[in-house]
Short mmCIF file of all heavy atoms in Angstrom, two decimals:
data_model
loop_
_atom_site.label_atom_id
_atom_site.label_comp_id
_atom_site.label_asym_id
_atom_site.label_seq_id
_atom_site.Cartn_x
_atom_site.Cartn_y
_atom_site.Cartn_z
N MET A 378 -5.65 -8.77 9.20
CA MET A 378 -4.66 -9.02 8.23
C MET A 378 -4.48 -7.66 7.38
O MET A 378 -3.32 -7.34 6.98
CB MET A 378 -5.15 -10.07 7.30
CG MET A 378 -4.09 -10.46 6.14
SD MET A 378 -2.48 -10.99 6.90
CE MET A 378 -2.86 -12.59 7.45
N SER A 379 -5.50 -6.93 7.29
CA SER A 379 -5.36 -5.55 6.55
C SER A 379 -4.44 -4.67 7.33
O SER A 379 -3.59 -4.08 6.71
CB SER A 379 -6.82 -5.00 6.44
OG SER A 379 -6.88 -4.17 5.32
N PHE A 380 -4.61 -4.50 8.60
CA PHE A 380 -3.80 -3.71 9.40
C PHE A 380 -2.24 -4.16 9.39
O PHE A 380 -1.32 -3.42 9.38
CB PHE A 380 -4.24 -3.51 10.81
CG PHE A 380 -5.39 -2.64 11.03
CD1 PHE A 380 -6.64 -2.98 11.51
CD2 PHE A 380 -5.30 -1.26 10.59
CE1 PHE A 380 -7.66 -2.13 11.70
CE2 PHE A 380 -6.36 -0.39 10.66
CZ PHE A 380 -7.61 -0.81 11.21
N ALA A 381 -2.07 -5.51 9.35
CA ALA A 381 -0.77 -6.11 9.29
C ALA A 381 -0.07 -5.83 8.02
O ALA A 381 1.11 -5.38 8.02
CB ALA A 381 -0.89 -7.64 9.58
N ALA A 382 -0.80 -5.78 6.93
CA ALA A 382 -0.23 -5.49 5.65
C ALA A 382 0.06 -4.03 5.55
O ALA A 382 1.14 -3.58 4.98
CB ALA A 382 -1.23 -5.82 4.51
N ILE A 383 -0.72 -3.12 6.20
CA ILE A 383 -0.42 -1.70 6.22
C ILE A 383 0.89 -1.43 7.01
O ILE A 383 1.64 -0.55 6.66
CB ILE A 383 -1.55 -0.92 6.71
CG1 ILE A 383 -2.81 -1.00 5.61
CG2 ILE A 383 -1.26 0.57 6.93
CD1 ILE A 383 -4.16 -0.49 6.22
N ALA A 384 1.05 -2.24 8.12
CA ALA A 384 2.27 -2.06 9.00
C ALA A 384 3.56 -2.36 7.99
O ALA A 384 4.53 -1.70 8.17
CB ALA A 384 2.25 -2.99 10.05
N LEU A 385 3.38 -3.36 7.13
CA LEU A 385 4.44 -3.61 6.22
C LEU A 385 4.78 -2.47 5.32
O LEU A 385 6.01 -2.24 5.09
CB LEU A 385 4.09 -4.93 5.44
CG LEU A 385 5.19 -5.55 4.56
CD1 LEU A 385 6.32 -6.00 5.33
CD2 LEU A 385 4.62 -6.62 3.68
N LEU A 386 3.80 -1.74 4.90
CA LEU A 386 3.98 -0.47 4.11
C LEU A 386 4.86 0.51 4.94
O LEU A 386 5.68 1.27 4.42
CB LEU A 386 2.68 0.16 3.77
CG LEU A 386 1.93 -0.36 2.60
CD1 LEU A 386 0.51 0.36 2.54
CD2 LEU A 386 2.60 -0.30 1.32
N GLY A 387 4.56 0.57 6.31
CA GLY A 387 5.43 1.36 7.18
C GLY A 387 6.90 1.07 7.16
O GLY A 387 7.78 1.92 7.14
N VAL A 388 7.15 -0.26 7.15
CA VAL A 388 8.60 -0.69 7.17
C VAL A 388 9.20 -0.38 5.69
O VAL A 388 10.35 0.12 5.68
CB VAL A 388 8.69 -2.32 7.28
CG1 VAL A 388 10.09 -2.79 7.15
CG2 VAL A 388 8.09 -2.55 8.79
N ILE A 389 8.52 -0.51 4.67
CA ILE A 389 9.00 -0.19 3.36
C ILE A 389 9.29 1.39 3.31
O ILE A 389 10.35 1.78 2.75
CB ILE A 389 7.95 -0.60 2.23
CG1 ILE A 389 7.82 -2.15 2.18
CG2 ILE A 389 8.32 0.05 0.86
CD1 ILE A 389 6.64 -2.60 1.40
N THR A 390 8.36 2.14 3.89
CA THR A 390 8.61 3.64 3.87
C THR A 390 9.88 3.99 4.65
O THR A 390 10.65 4.78 4.18
CB THR A 390 7.50 4.29 4.56
OG1 THR A 390 6.27 3.89 3.84
CG2 THR A 390 7.59 5.82 4.41
N MET A 391 10.05 3.35 5.80
CA MET A 391 11.27 3.61 6.65
C MET A 391 12.50 3.33 5.86
O MET A 391 13.50 4.15 5.83
CB MET A 391 11.26 2.86 7.95
CG MET A 391 10.33 3.34 8.96
SD MET A 391 10.58 2.43 10.49
CE MET A 391 9.39 1.17 10.35
N LEU A 392 12.56 2.26 5.11
CA LEU A 392 13.70 1.84 4.39
C LEU A 392 13.92 2.87 3.29
O LEU A 392 15.05 3.23 3.00
CB LEU A 392 13.59 0.43 3.79
CG LEU A 392 13.66 -0.69 4.82
CD1 LEU A 392 13.25 -2.05 4.21
CD2 LEU A 392 15.09 -0.81 5.38
N SER A 393 12.82 3.26 2.59
CA SER A 393 12.95 4.21 1.47
C SER A 393 13.47 5.63 1.93
O SER A 393 14.31 6.13 1.33
CB SER A 393 11.53 4.46 0.81
OG SER A 393 10.93 3.22 0.49
N LEU A 394 12.94 6.05 3.08
CA LEU A 394 13.42 7.31 3.59
C LEU A 394 14.87 7.29 3.98
O LEU A 394 15.67 8.16 3.79
CB LEU A 394 12.55 7.78 4.89
CG LEU A 394 11.12 8.02 4.64
CD1 LEU A 394 10.35 8.04 5.97
CD2 LEU A 394 10.92 9.38 3.89
N TRP A 395 15.28 6.17 4.63
CA TRP A 395 16.65 5.99 5.09
C TRP A 395 17.64 5.99 3.88
O TRP A 395 18.65 6.56 3.96
CB TRP A 395 16.77 4.71 5.94
CG TRP A 395 18.16 4.43 6.37
CD1 TRP A 395 18.87 5.04 7.32
CD2 TRP A 395 18.99 3.36 5.85
NE1 TRP A 395 20.23 4.37 7.33
CE2 TRP A 395 20.28 3.45 6.49
CE3 TRP A 395 18.85 2.36 4.81
CZ2 TRP A 395 21.22 2.47 6.22
CZ3 TRP A 395 19.85 1.43 4.47
CH2 TRP A 395 21.11 1.56 5.24
N LYS A 396 17.23 5.36 2.81
CA LYS A 396 18.04 5.21 1.65
C LYS A 396 18.05 6.52 0.78
O LYS A 396 19.08 6.91 0.26
CB LYS A 396 17.52 4.09 0.72
CG LYS A 396 18.43 3.50 -0.28
CD LYS A 396 19.25 2.32 0.34
CE LYS A 396 20.16 1.83 -0.73
NZ LYS A 396 21.66 2.25 -0.44
N ALA A 397 16.82 7.13 0.67
CA ALA A 397 16.69 8.29 -0.38
C ALA A 397 17.05 9.61 0.16
O ALA A 397 17.45 10.51 -0.53
CB ALA A 397 15.23 8.26 -0.91
N LEU A 398 16.78 9.87 1.49
CA LEU A 398 16.94 11.24 2.03
C LEU A 398 18.36 11.50 2.46
O LEU A 398 18.98 10.64 3.02
CB LEU A 398 16.05 11.51 3.27
CG LEU A 398 14.50 11.46 3.07
CD1 LEU A 398 13.77 11.99 4.24
CD2 LEU A 398 14.07 12.34 1.82
N PRO A 399 18.91 12.76 2.14
CA PRO A 399 20.23 12.96 2.57
C PRO A 399 20.30 13.11 4.09
O PRO A 399 19.35 13.60 4.74
CB PRO A 399 20.49 14.32 1.91
CG PRO A 399 19.14 14.92 1.62
CD PRO A 399 18.22 13.80 1.41
N GLU A 400 21.44 12.77 4.64
CA GLU A 400 21.58 13.03 6.11
C GLU A 400 21.66 14.46 6.36
O GLU A 400 22.34 15.22 5.63
CB GLU A 400 22.86 12.33 6.61
CG GLU A 400 22.56 10.98 7.25
CD GLU A 400 23.79 10.41 8.05
OE1 GLU A 400 23.90 10.75 9.29
OE2 GLU A 400 24.57 9.64 7.37
N ASP A 401 21.01 14.91 7.37
CA ASP A 401 21.14 16.36 7.68
C ASP A 401 21.37 16.51 9.13
O ASP A 401 21.22 15.60 10.01
CB ASP A 401 19.75 17.10 7.39
CG ASP A 401 18.53 16.49 8.03
OD1 ASP A 401 18.65 15.17 8.37
OD2 ASP A 401 17.44 17.10 8.20
N LYS A 402 21.90 17.71 9.48
CA LYS A 402 22.25 18.00 10.95
C LYS A 402 20.96 18.26 11.77
O LYS A 402 19.95 18.63 11.17
CB LYS A 402 23.06 19.25 11.06
CG LYS A 402 24.52 19.04 10.37
CD LYS A 402 25.32 20.23 10.64
CE LYS A 402 26.55 20.34 9.65
NZ LYS A 402 26.18 20.61 8.30
N ALA A 403 21.08 18.09 13.02
CA ALA A 403 19.95 18.35 13.96
C ALA A 403 19.51 19.83 13.79
O ALA A 403 20.42 20.69 13.74
CB ALA A 403 20.29 17.99 15.35
N SER A 404 18.29 20.08 13.76
CA SER A 404 17.84 21.52 13.69
C SER A 404 18.07 22.10 15.07
O SER A 404 18.21 21.40 16.06
CB SER A 404 16.36 21.53 13.36
OG SER A 404 16.03 20.63 12.31
N GLN A 405 18.05 23.45 15.07
CA GLN A 405 18.06 24.18 16.37
C GLN A 405 16.80 23.76 17.07
O GLN A 405 15.78 23.66 16.39
CB GLN A 405 18.10 25.62 16.16
CG GLN A 405 19.41 26.25 15.77
CD GLN A 405 19.37 27.70 15.60
OE1 GLN A 405 18.59 28.20 14.76
NE2 GLN A 405 20.13 28.47 16.33
N ARG A 406 16.84 23.74 18.41
CA ARG A 406 15.59 23.43 19.14
C ARG A 406 14.57 24.60 18.83
O ARG A 406 14.92 25.70 18.91
CB ARG A 406 15.84 23.44 20.67
CG ARG A 406 16.65 22.20 21.16
CD ARG A 406 16.94 22.33 22.61
NE ARG A 406 15.80 21.90 23.36
CZ ARG A 406 15.61 20.56 23.82
NH1 ARG A 406 16.46 19.72 23.45
NH2 ARG A 406 14.54 20.35 24.55
N PRO A 407 13.38 24.17 18.47
CA PRO A 407 12.40 25.21 18.12
C PRO A 407 12.07 26.11 19.22
O PRO A 407 11.91 25.67 20.40
CB PRO A 407 11.20 24.39 17.59
CG PRO A 407 11.31 23.04 18.21
CD PRO A 407 12.82 22.83 18.36
N ASP A 408 11.86 27.41 18.94
CA ASP A 408 11.36 28.37 19.98
C ASP A 408 9.85 28.24 19.95
O ASP A 408 9.20 28.85 19.18
CB ASP A 408 11.84 29.73 19.57
CG ASP A 408 11.43 30.83 20.60
OD1 ASP A 408 10.44 30.54 21.38
OD2 ASP A 408 11.89 31.94 20.62
N VAL A 409 9.46 27.39 20.92
CA VAL A 409 7.95 26.99 20.92
C VAL A 409 7.05 28.27 20.96
O VAL A 409 6.12 28.37 20.19
CB VAL A 409 7.66 26.08 22.05
CG1 VAL A 409 6.21 25.70 22.14
CG2 VAL A 409 8.47 24.77 21.91
N LYS A 410 7.39 29.19 21.90
CA LYS A 410 6.50 30.35 22.03
C LYS A 410 6.44 31.13 20.74
O LYS A 410 5.41 31.56 20.37
CB LYS A 410 7.14 31.19 23.21
CG LYS A 410 6.00 31.96 23.96
CD LYS A 410 6.72 32.52 25.20
CE LYS A 410 5.70 33.53 25.89
NZ LYS A 410 6.36 34.15 27.05
N ALA A 411 7.64 31.40 20.08
CA ALA A 411 7.66 32.22 18.88
C ALA A 411 6.92 31.48 17.74
O ALA A 411 6.23 32.16 17.00
CB ALA A 411 9.10 32.48 18.50
N GLU A 412 7.11 30.19 17.64
CA GLU A 412 6.44 29.45 16.57
C GLU A 412 4.97 29.41 16.68
O GLU A 412 4.23 29.66 15.82
CB GLU A 412 6.94 27.98 16.44
CG GLU A 412 8.40 27.97 15.98
CD GLU A 412 8.74 26.68 15.24
OE1 GLU A 412 7.86 25.81 15.04
OE2 GLU A 412 9.91 26.58 14.77
#
């Protein structure tokens, strides 16, 4: 039940991020070697 309740926190976080964060464009593909 503890893990099930924590999963619910994950859903709340997803909704918060979707609502609060501005939409942004896709980043350039990272240059793995350089990074």
